């Protein structure tokens, strides 16, 4: 795993945006694996700037997202579908029909997982962007998820529900389940760019980079990826 330590969140976002832009410049029909959460927002802003400045076009790009809450429709303002429109898709020249996110309001969640897994087989990611949970999760693959997992339904841990509650009115409103891309599918991407910012990620960053590769820290599997770059700010890298 290559590790890049930057001074702060903005610098981390710049490095990340350049890494994604390089992929799209080299291959305008690239498939991007995308993440939600607070961490990639700065990177998405810069990618939108690149598009506005005509440096980059997403007109032929496809995207597949990592995960979605179960029970939230795409129009709910805390759904990841809504997040992607607001933070990226509405500001770039992508065709919305080329973007995919698990359907959190599917009546048959198992069928939706199987459908999404099949879709991922046909849309191999040239680059996968990842955030990192404070418990070491990637996507919503919580600790002890098998490394060979594919898209599945997750019961979110209390840790994750609490972390995510900052975006909801109260803890009771936070969905307890999600559909997530599995670890095996995350690892299929040609390149992985993992972002982490802030002191509250420092322990997970240490376990990811220096700890044993085991399911207690799902992100530790990234040590085995042939082209993974961890872009960290100083606070997140403080225990390395
Ligand atoms: C989001 C995702 C999660 C987040 C992680 C960090 O699609 O899959 O793994 O990347 O929970 O979230 P933030 O960036 O909000 O700290």
């Amino acid at each position: 795993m290559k590790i890049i330590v930057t001074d702060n969140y903005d610098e981390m976002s710049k490095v990340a945006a350049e890494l994604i832009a390089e992929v799209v410049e080299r291959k305008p029909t690239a498939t991007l694996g995308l993440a939600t959460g607070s961490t990639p927002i700065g990177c998405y802003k810069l990618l939108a700037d690149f598009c506005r400045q005509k440096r980059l076009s997403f007109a032929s790009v496809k995207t597949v997202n990592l995960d979605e809450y179960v029970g939230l429709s795409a129009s709910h303002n805390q759904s990841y579908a809504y997040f992607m429109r607001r933070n990226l898709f509405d500001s770039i020249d992508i065709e919305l029909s080329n973007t995919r996110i698990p359907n959190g309001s599917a009546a048959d969640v198992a069928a939706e997982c199987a459908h999404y897994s099949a879709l991922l087989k046909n849309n191999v990611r040239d680059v996968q962007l990842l955030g990192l949970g404070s418990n070491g999760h990637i996507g919503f693959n919580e600790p002890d998820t098998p490394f060979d997992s594919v898209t599945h339904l997750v019961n979110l841990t209390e840790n994750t529900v609490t972390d995510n509650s900052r975006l909801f009115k109260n803890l009771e409103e936070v969905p307890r389940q999600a559909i997530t891309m599995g670890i095996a599918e995350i690892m299929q991407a040609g390149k992985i760019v993992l972002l982490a910012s802030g002191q509250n990620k420092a322990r997970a960053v240490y376990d990811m980079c220096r700890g044993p590769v085991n399911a207690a820290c799902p992100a530790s599997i990234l040590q085995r990826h042939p082209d993974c770059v961890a872009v960290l700010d100083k606070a997140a890298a403080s225990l390395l």
Side-chain angles (χ1 to χ4, degrees):
M1 183 188 299
K2 184 175 168 193
I3 298 172
I4 300 176
V5 181
T6 61
D7 278 343
N8 51 45
Y9 178 85
D10 288 348
E11 294 302 317
M12 176 201 76
S13 302
K14 271 187 207 160
V15 173
E18 288 297 340
L19 288 169
I20 305 291
E22 266 170 32
V23 173
V24 176
E25 278 164 350
R26 197 177 59 240
K27 185 177 173 190
T29 58
T31 298
L32 311 181
L34 298 179
T36 57
S38 305
T39 315
I41 290 176
C43 169
Y44 291 155
K45 275 204 181 100
L46 290 168
L47 290 174
D49 288 347
F50 294 166
C51 188
R52 226 171 281 120
Q53 294 153 5
K54 307 273 183 239
R55 169 179 165 193
L56 212 57
S57 171
F58 294 84
S60 305
V61 162
K62 287 187 188 169
T63 66
V64 284
N65 261 76
L66 282 169
D67 41 23
E68 179 60 285
Y69 288 122
V70 167
L72 299 192
S73 71
S75 59
H76 189 287
N77 67 6
Q78 289 307 332
S79 74
Y80 287 165
Y82 185 93
F83 173 101
M84 288 310 303
R85 290 195 304 275
R86 196 184 47 196
N87 289 294
L88 185 65
F89 298 154
D90 286 349
S91 313
I92 60 176
D93 59 347
I94 198 161
E95 298 287 337
L96 276 185
S97 58
N98 284 340
T99 67
R100 293 281 187 274
I101 300 178
N103 178 3
S105 50
D108 182 343
V109 174
E112 174 60 17
C113 291
H115 165 77
Y116 205 71
S117 226
L119 181 123
L120 293 175
K121 275 202 186 106
N122 294 324
N123 292 279
V124 177
R125 280 69 66 209
D126 294 284
V127 62
Q128 174 69 55
L129 189 61
L130 294 176
L132 179 67
S134 62
N135 63 359
H137 73 213
I138 47 176
F140 271 139
N141 294 284
E142 299 283 35
D144 297 328
T145 305
F147 287 149
D148 62 359
S149 58
V150 294
T151 304
H152 61 284
L153 173 67
V154 183
N155 293 317
L156 300 173
T157 60
E158 277 312 305
N159 180 84
T160 298
V161 171
T162 307
D163 278 357
N164 291 0
S165 63
R166 67 187 191 280
L167 302 168
F168 289 82
K169 272 195 221 117
N170 53 52
L171 198 61
E172 283 62 51
E173 277 200 5
V174 187
R176 303 281 154 156
Q177 291 187 312
I179 295 172
T180 185
M181 192 186 289
I183 295 177
E185 292 160 336
I186 289 174
M187 291 292 282
Q188 283 160 3
K191 181 180 190 74
I192 294 182
V193 177
L194 179 135
L195 308 183
S197 165
Q199 184 65 39
N200 67 323
K201 301 291 173 72
R203 182 75 228 173
V205 165
Y206 178 86
D207 291 342
M208 168 180 76
C209 300
R210 304 274 185 257
V213 177
N214 66 36
C217 176
S220 64
I221 190 67
L222 301 175
Q223 292 176 29
R224 301 222 173 118
H225 193 279
D227 186 7
C228 176
V229 188
V231 188
L232 315 170
D233 68 9
K234 265 201 269 186
S238 57
L239 295 179
L240 292 181

